[in-house]
Amino acid sequence: MTAAGGALIAIESVAKRYVTSSGPVDALDNVSLSVAEGEFCTLIGPSGCGKSTLLGMLGGLVSPDRGRLLVAGGPVTGPDPRRVATVFQDAGLFPWRTALENVEFGLELQGVPAERRRRRAGELLGPLGLGGFAERYPRELSGGMKQRVAIGRALAIDAKILLMDEPFGALDEQTRVLMGEWLLDIWRRTRKTVIFVTHSLHEALFLSTRVAVMTARPGRIKSVLELTMEYPRSMESPEMVALRAKLWSEMREESLRAMQ
Amino acid sequence: MKVALLRLGLLAALLAVWELAGRAANPLLAVPPSAVVPALRDLLLLRSYPRLPASLWLTVREIGVAYALAVAAGLGCGFALGMNRLLGRAWGPMIAALYAVPAVVWYPSLMLFFGLDAASKIAFGFLLGFFPITLAVLAGVRQVNPHLVLVARAYGAGVVVVFFRVMLPSMLFTLVGGLRTGLALSVIGVVVGEILGSKDGMGALINHAYGLLRTGDYVALVLVTLLLVVGSDVLASGLERRARRWSE
């Protein structure tokens, strides 16, 4: 079906340079990665390593300077909400829309009739734990709830691929852990292909089928870890503790470089 | 209820002061409310100024044209400067500075240029209404959260959808506030223009009564004009409230 051996997503030698007022910055340099359908692939790396840029490219919001990106065999030329849905770190809810109307947004843009999209969005709110909050406005919701609405908005359009850019980055630790468990549940039920950006080792190890560690700027793929443990995972198992140490030593090296 | 009582109380007190002061003063210079009532009756029965309806209608039309032009130009300029960062940086501050100039200084040259008829009043009403609308659009565009625009684009929104689904709702409040201020200033521009020099319109009638020291008629005409202004503002504030409810 696709050139790259059945990969749903193929990133081929992409590079990106930003021109800022203090000179050019190489955000990404020669990044290649392919992701198969149904994977939960996490990108982890120090701040400013271009993780978000890479995600932006997959979402069609940023164009690469070099290299190319293929989704389902075709090049990414712009946002394609029929195949790719994005969740951002900042929930980015529209403050003049209720939770339900925010979830409907993507369907509305796709021209789904009002009644059908309302029904679809309504069905999503329950599993999102927002059953009683359909008519609430974003300012009446907590940070975790807002992020769940944003995830609902992404799930509503039923794209195969879910891009998540540090979706729980702004939440407190406890909420973050719970949201991770909840997301895992959603992913296992919907079988979406997820590309997940995070700073958190815990999230990476708890959720992913694969973790790609990125280097400090300019971002490259430093190493890729395959995680084969069953879900739900115990963070205390010897295997997990060893993986955590390994991942941390790689991360630590890059984080130190990023700080210099 | 209390608010209404307090308002009525203030009105009654003002009327009482006016009545006392008016009786004490030279009747050529000031009139008490008791003298205004018959003047107002004569005015409304078209005895003192038979051309009142025509004049009022002229003024309303001038305001309508001036405001429509101010809205069109204000929205156009505001969005052009707001969407184009370079133009906004270059010209935005100049527009804000021009807004600070007391606009009445332009009026003599407008009159020389457009003559004594409606055109100069429309030009002045336009000039006054244009600036607050333009500046409100500029401020509103800056209020739009770029992240929301990005989110909308990720979900497939093009330029038009971003404009109507993200930009307009984000800035609605500021925009409607500017449109309301613009209307008030367009009304002021037209009426002041008529008072400063014209052949017809409410301002011309006011000028006529005032010039002939027909003080009672003058006050009656002012009251009718006041009604026009208050009416337009009530209309505008109603729209503003509706917009506020919608945007929340």
Side-chain angles (χ1 to χ4, degrees):
Chain A
M1 187 175 80
T2 53
L8 180 61
I9 299 169
I11 302 168
E12 299 177 352
S13 328
V14 297
K16 180 76 187 176
R17 167 178 285 189
Y18 287 111
V19 180
T20 68
S21 50
S22 52
V25 173
D26 284 307
L28 288 175
D29 181 32
N30 201 21
V31 170
S32 296
L33 184 71
S34 64
V35 180
E37 188 159 355
E39 269 199 90
F40 194 119
C41 180
T42 295
L43 301 173
I44 194 165
S47 300
C49 73
K51 308 182 289 280
S52 297
T53 301
L54 194 54
L55 216 60
M57 284 180 182
L58 285 171
L61 294 168
V62 179
S63 57
D65 294 338
R66 272 185 289 122
R68 57 174 195 163
L69 299 102
L70 302 174
V71 169
V76 176
T77 52
D80 182 1
R82 287 179 196 278
R83 286 192 297 199
V84 180
T86 308
V87 179
F88 298 87
Q89 177 174 6
D90 176 332
L93 302 182
F94 301 108
W96 54 87
R97 287 171 164 255
T98 61
L100 187 75
E101 287 164 348
N102 266 290
V103 173
E104 280 179 59
F105 182 73
L107 298 171
E108 203 176 305
L109 294 199
Q110 294 183 5
V112 175
E115 203 178 311
R116 246 182 58 206
R117 63 172 194 252
R118 188 133 298 194
R119 186 150 24 88
R120 168 112 182 91
E123 287 164 5
L124 274 167
L125 287 177
L128 289 164
L130 294 162
F133 296 89
E135 301 306 318
R136 299 290 181 89
Y137 286 90
R139 60 170 186 276
E140 302 171 302
L141 303 175
S142 70
M145 290 166 110
K146 278 187 209 161
Q147 204 50 269
R148 275 178 284 169
V149 175
I151 293 171
R153 180 171 60 189
L155 293 174
I157 58 175
D158 209 17
K160 256 185 175 172
I161 299 168
L162 195 56
L163 305 178
M164 307 187 87
D165 189 358
E166 295 189 51
F168 310 139
L171 306 179
D172 62 73
E173 187 65 30
Q174 298 88 304
T175 313
R176 202 173 169 142
V177 170
L178 293 175
M179 291 286 285
E181 288 172 9
W182 171 85
L183 177 63
L184 198 57
D185 191 49
I186 296 273
W187 170 66
R188 295 176 74 194
R189 273 192 286 128
T190 59
R191 303 313 304 181
K192 302 238 178 253
T193 306
V194 179
I195 311 268
F196 190 88
V197 165
T198 186
H199 279 119
S200 157
L201 292 172
H202 175 96
E203 270 174 10
L205 294 167
F206 189 71
L207 299 171
S208 327
T209 56
R210 214 143 55 104
V211 180
V213 181
M214 291 182 69
T215 63
R217 199 154 50 207
R220 297 190 192 89
I221 304 288
K222 181 183 171 80
S223 58
V224 177
L225 253 74
E226 305 279 343
L227 304 181
T228 50
M229 300 85 80
E230 289 289 308
Y231 296 101
R233 294 171 176 167
S234 153
M235 299 305 286
E236 278 79 42
S237 72
E239 194 184 6
M240 193 61 104
V241 172
L243 270 171
R244 189 186 170 90
K246 182 167 182 246
L247 195 54
W248 170 234
S249 77
E250 304 217 355
M251 282 275 293
R252 184 184 147 83
E253 210 178 294
E254 294 308 320
S255 299
L256 281 172
R257 274 190 38 210
M259 281 167 70
Q260 279 154 14
Chain B
M1 190 60 206
K2 269 187 186 162
V3 173
L5 274 177
L6 281 172
R7 277 188 190 155
L8 283 176
L10 181 65
L11 271 181
L14 284 175
L15 281 174
V17 171
W18 179 11
E19 182 73 40
L20 289 174
R23 284 187 188 187
N26 182 332
L28 279 179
L29 303 180
V31 287
S34 52
V36 172
V37 175
L40 192 60
R41 189 194 58 217
D42 285 349
L43 180 68
L44 295 179
L45 293 176
L46 306 186
R47 286 185 199 142
S48 50
Y49 284 98
R51 62 194 173 103
L52 174 73
S55 298
L56 192 61
W57 177 229
L58 176 69
T59 301
V60 168
R61 273 181 303 163
E62 285 168 350
I63 291 170
V65 175
Y67 184 58
L69 291 175
V71 169
L75 292 181
C77 285
F79 278 115
L81 297 192
M83 307 279 218
N84 185 318
R85 204 173 297 171
L86 178 67
L87 290 188
R89 257 185 60 195
W91 296 341
M94 291 172 72
I95 290 187
L98 278 176
Y99 185 33
V101 176
V104 76
V105 303
W106 310 117
Y107 192 65
S109 64
L110 288 181
M111 223 162 22
L112 286 175
F113 197 79
F114 289 105
L116 270 180
D117 287 326
S120 60
K121 284 75 203 167
I122 290 171
F124 196 46
F126 162 78
L127 195 66
L128 258 64
F130 167 74
F131 287 99
I133 296 173
T134 307
L135 292 173
V137 176
L138 261 175
V141 170
R142 283 198 201 104
Q143 275 170 1
V144 177
N145 179 349
H147 183 56
L148 294 185
V149 175
L150 192 75
V151 170
R153 283 185 50 216
Y155 282 86
V159 179
V160 177
V161 174
V162 165
F163 182 80
F164 285 104
R165 302 285 176 94
V166 182
M167 291 191 59
L168 273 191
S170 300
M171 59 189 292
L172 189 71
F173 208 24
T174 310
L175 183 64
V176 173
L179 289 173
R180 184 182 172 187
T181 310
L183 176 57
L185 286 180
S186 284
V187 172
I188 291 173
V190 166
V191 173
V192 167
E194 285 179 351
I195 289 177
L196 289 179
S198 65
K199 297 179 204 154
D200 205 351
M202 289 306 291
L205 297 190
I206 287 173
N207 228 4
H208 182 265
Y210 175 72
L212 295 181
L213 293 177
R214 286 162 61 175
T215 316
D217 290 340
Y218 159 72
V219 174
L221 283 163
V222 168
L223 287 178
V224 172
T225 309
L226 201 68
L227 213 65
L228 182 72
V229 175
V230 170
S232 76
D233 197 56
V234 165
L235 200 76
S237 79
L239 288 178
E240 190 175 6
R241 249 199 314 279
R242 179 163 300 187
R244 184 193 301 231
R245 213 172 305 143
W246 185 75
S247 78
E248 273 176 3

